[in-house]
Amino acid sequence: MQLTSTSIRNGQPIAPSLAFCQAAAEGHTAHGGNRSPHLAWSGAPDGTRSFAVVMHDPDVPADASDANTEGKTLAAGAERVDFFHWLLVDVPASTTEIAEGAASDGVTANGKAPGRSALGLQGINDFTAFLAGSPMAGTYGGYDGPCPPWNDERLHHYHVTVYALDVETLGLDADGGFRGADVRAALEGHVLAEAAIMGTYTTNPAVG
């Protein structure tokens, strides 16, 4: 199975047009274009009944208490955890391409509703927890792009994976009330094939 994208070149920096935030001369960051990436896949095996799309960043600090804090830095070697940016399941088996901007086109303050869409069933991404208690707090469904802390010394890596599945539905909450761990658990035993691409991103001018 192969996955390609006109938005993300494998192993290369992600454009700010796809990011939730971008580096700025004042205030460290500003909103990015937050467009979901173009994806196209081929070579799914016989018996594929649906697809799932997951985008995650494994480089997010486990302790984010100093994130985006003046006078503080997040060491490159600090413990890291997964951060889910996009959870899309129950994508019809007839789908082999998603256009850029189809799941998001711009930052939506206080989030977007998860649930059924023209693409499939979209879950809740991890901006929901990260922005809790801030003026941007809300439920963030569907796609929201990269926005690593501006004081993080580590380059972040964003993995987009398409899974070919042997079921039409993963049986997750029809209103989209599921998160990354729920999708990973539901995928177990149903993956016929998978393909991935990876892009990098930082908002720290000192990180290449």
Side-chain angles (χ1 to χ4, degrees), residues 20 107-114 125 127-128 131 136-141 144:
F20 190 89
V107 172
T108 302
N110 308 114
K112 304 183 293 292
N125 69 55
F127 278 101
T128 302
L131 294 173
M136 291 282 286
T139 298
Y140 285 77
D144 284 297

Side-chain angles (χ1 to χ4, degrees), residues 22-186:
Q22 59 185 315
E26 296 184 8
H28 297 288
T29 62
H31 287 331
N34 205 43
R35 288 173 61 82
S36 56
H38 164 265
L39 301 174
W41 56 91
S42 60
D46 292 341
T48 297
R49 300 182 67 190
S50 72
F51 297 100
V53 178
V54 175
M55 178 175 171
H56 82 286
D57 168 12
D59 298 313
V60 170
D63 179 1
S65 57
D66 288 336
N68 302 322
T69 301
E70 295 287 353
K72 302 283 188 176
T73 58
L74 301 172
E79 181 184 358
R80 304 287 161 152
V81 296
D82 289 337
F83 186 107
F84 292 92
H85 285 263
W86 193 13
L87 303 167
L88 174 64
V89 303
D90 299 358
V91 178
S94 58
T95 300
T96 58
E97 188 170 15
I98 297 175
E100 182 174 307
S104 177
D105 189 3
V107 172
T108 302
N110 308 114
K112 304 183 293 292
R116 188 66 57 186
S117 73
L119 303 175
L121 183 61
Q122 302 200 97
I124 296 172
N125 69 55
D126 284 342
F127 278 101
T128 302
F130 187 73
L131 294 173
S134 78
M136 291 282 286
T139 298
Y140 285 77
Y143 175 91
D144 284 297
C147 189
W150 51 258
N151 61 340
D152 197 343
E153 296 180 340
R154 180 183 290 199
L155 182 67
H156 286 230
H157 299 76
Y158 297 82
H159 300 262
V160 183
T161 307
V162 176
Y163 299 90
L165 308 176
D166 64 0
V167 289
E168 289 185 6
T169 177
L170 287 176
L172 294 166
D173 186 340
D175 292 325
F178 54 87
R179 300 172 188 258
D182 302 313
V183 173
R184 282 185 169 167

